[in-house]
Amino acid sequence: MKADLLNKSVFAFVLLASAGTAFSAEVELGPRPEFLVGQMKESGLKERLEQCLDQKSERSLFSIAHRGAPLMFPEHTVESNVAAARMGAGILECDVTFTEDLELVCRHSQNDLHTTTNILATDLGAKCTEPFRAAGGGSEATAECRTTDISLSEFKSLRGKMDGADKTATSVEDYLGGTAPWRTELYATSGGTLMTHAESIRLFRDLGGKFMPELKAPVVGMPFKGFSQEDYAQKLVDEYKAAAVPPEDVWLQSFNLEDVLYWIENEPEFGKQAVYLDGRRETDVTRLSPDMTALASMGVRYIAPPLWVLLSEEEGRIVPSAYARAAREAGLKIITWTLERSGPLNNGGGWYFQSIANVTDNEGVYLEALHVLAQDVGVEGVFSDWPATVTFYANCMGL
């Protein structure tokens, strides 16, 4: 009963949103783009971006919401995706995994409920693969809670929180903290509304967005209760078919090349836009196997590495990497991830900027890197934890 009431409340909100009561198609960028432009070093690019600060922006397919807007909102929640849509993200993402009763839900990982929801603070914490264990005796606090530990109705009873955990914690309450200092709890005080994959389809369509679901790698052995990897990949497509979503509005994603090849062979209309998330993170293109040409010969049309794999530093400038050039030469379309996931860039930018750390020393580098990705690498779209930045850039440059 509780899950049913929650479900009804979510879609009452969505109906209001689609009617214009709670959501407007007008894009609201907020102050962040102007702040980032102000941090840039003097250049022709900065001057051009400054000229666009007062112009109105429209939704852009170049702007892809990464789990919604998780810089400030709990990821993969209704609230996070409504915020992303307001910031002009033309494509919204549901990372897809499944519950104990084989229902598809939106979570970044099958085993992240202990860091992204309040499960440990509920009775369901006792059902976790590894219930909470306090730090002590030289050991960190630990927990592992999987979507396959609980049913769909139990999943829907949870609330989303900012992703994080305090591994020094001696209590569940403290463990559920751990939010990075450059994120915020401001929009997470009441918790976010979790979604099934089917609910995300309805929400994203009502918000006017298109779809980029990712089939997440299971942490349980497959087949699980007779549910094979192929069943899993097919069920993802079937939920778009059931909702009558045109294949051209969907970009299926997976780090597992076999999933991508399954869609190409068995669902060719959806397979045309299937995205191979390249997790090999190999910048030496001579060591890639399969290489770009081989991927293209398999029918892969889209490839998506992390942004640092596409960028290099040359004489103090950001330039396309050898990987980026090889992908373009093979005719592959490129999408990349994830802008604004690194926090402050004054000290090299961390993992996402590792290939250009020597020229990453201020927040304005977000826009400098984005410019190279768009103009020189020629990416089709960019995932961001705060879509307003990419939306602003896309509108300014007419993308």
Side-chain angles (χ1 to χ4, degrees):
M1 177 65 72
K2 184 177 180 181
D4 289 342
L5 289 173
L6 178 59
N7 189 54
K8 289 176 181 177
S9 69
V10 170
F11 286 99
F13 173 81
V14 172
L15 287 172
L16 288 172
S18 61
T21 303
F23 175 77
S24 168
E26 183 176 344
V27 172
E28 301 173 5
L29 297 179
R32 184 158 176 78
E34 184 169 3
F35 167 77
L36 294 177
V37 172
Q39 298 296 303
M40 296 176 70
K41 296 175 181 177
E42 296 303 320
S43 66
L45 174 61
K46 180 176 181 177
E47 291 177 4
R48 178 167 179 179
L49 294 174
E50 285 176 330
Q51 293 171 2
C52 296
L53 288 173
D54 292 329
Q55 77 175 31
K56 288 188 176 180
S57 290
E58 298 178 351
R59 183 174 317 206
S60 172
L61 295 179
F62 189 77
S63 179
I64 307 171
H66 182 243
R67 315 183 204 177
L71 185 65
M72 296 190 184
F73 289 82
E75 65 185 48
H76 287 311
T77 60
V78 169
E79 295 80 0
S80 188
N81 280 286
V82 169
R86 281 194 179 278
M87 287 187 275
I91 303 175
L92 303 168
E93 179 190 42
C94 168
D95 289 330
V96 178
T97 186
F98 56 89
T99 59
E100 184 272 338
D101 45 356
L102 307 181
E103 296 297 333
L104 303 185
V105 295
C106 298
R107 284 292 92 196
H108 179 249
S109 172
Q110 196 171 72
N111 62 338
D112 72 1
L113 295 181
H114 52 289
T115 66
T116 65
T117 77
N118 66 337
I119 189 170
L120 292 175
T122 74
D123 292 342
L124 294 174
K127 301 184 75 171
C128 291
T129 294
E130 182 183 348
F132 173 73
R133 185 176 63 187
S139 297
E140 294 182 334
T142 58
E144 183 184 359
C145 302
R146 303 176 176 179
T147 56
T148 46
D149 291 334
I150 57 177
S151 68
L152 176 61
S153 61
E154 290 169 330
F155 174 86
K156 289 301 299 296
S157 72
L158 301 176
R159 300 293 288 172
K161 74 175 193 69
M162 296 299 286
D163 186 15
D166 181 354
K167 294 185 179 181
T168 68
T170 57
S171 69
V172 166
E173 181 179 8
D174 288 343
Y175 182 81
L176 293 175
T179 301
W182 42 269
R183 294 182 185 269
T184 180
E185 294 287 342
L186 186 62
Y187 303 113
T189 53
S190 60
T193 307
L194 273 57
M195 300 181 291
T196 68
H197 175 242
E199 288 171 344
S200 79
I201 294 173
R202 295 197 290 275
L203 175 65
F204 297 175
R205 180 159 53 190
D206 285 340
L207 293 174
K210 297 185 187 295
F211 313 86
M212 193 169 281
E214 179 187 338
L215 197 73
K216 302 302 295 188
V219 297
V220 296
M222 298 292 275
F224 177 79
K225 296 189 173 183
F227 191 54
S228 69
Q229 186 69 26
E230 292 77 15
D231 294 334
Y232 181 28
Q234 186 61 50
K235 186 165 186 173
L236 177 63
V237 177
D238 288 345
E239 293 198 347
Y240 288 97
K241 288 182 170 181
V245 176
E248 60 268 24
D249 287 350
V250 183
W251 287 262
L252 306 172
Q253 306 176 90
S254 180
F255 279 100
N256 180 1
L257 180 57
E258 294 304 312
D259 292 336
V260 176
L261 297 179
Y262 173 87
W263 292 320
I264 291 170
E265 180 178 355
N266 295 279
E267 291 289 350
E269 291 305 306
F270 285 88
K272 288 178 182 177
Q273 293 188 159
V275 181
Y276 173 41
L277 293 162
D278 193 351
R280 295 174 293 180
R281 299 163 190 172
E282 177 58 71
T283 55
D284 183 353
V285 294
T286 66
R287 299 175 61 181
L288 289 173
S289 180
D291 63 16
M292 304 298 183
T293 302
L295 287 172
S297 70
M298 295 174 188
V300 176
R301 300 185 181 186
Y302 285 84
I303 194 166
L307 63 87
W308 67 266
V309 172
L310 296 171
L311 301 174
S312 294
E313 183 265 328
E314 184 177 284
E315 297 181 354
R317 297 181 300 113
I318 303 172
V319 298
S321 67
Y323 179 108
R325 295 193 301 270
R328 290 294 301 275
E329 288 169 4
L332 296 174
K333 296 181 179 181
I334 307 170
I335 294 169
T336 193
W337 44 276
T338 302
L339 204 71
E340 297 184 273
R341 193 157 184 83
S342 296
L345 299 186
N346 58 353
N347 58 356
W351 190 85
Y352 284 93
F353 286 77
Q354 60 186 280
S355 62
I356 56 169
N358 290 337
V359 293
T360 300
D361 58 3
N362 69 86
E363 301 302 279
V365 176
Y366 275 125
L367 289 166
E368 294 175 9
L370 181 58
H371 187 62
V372 174
L373 289 167
Q375 305 299 328
D376 300 328
V377 176
V379 299
E380 300 286 314
V382 178
F383 278 99
S384 177
D385 277 11
W386 198 246
T389 301
V390 180
T391 302
F392 163 73
Y393 175 86
N395 276 266
C396 186
M397 299 295 170
L399 299 177

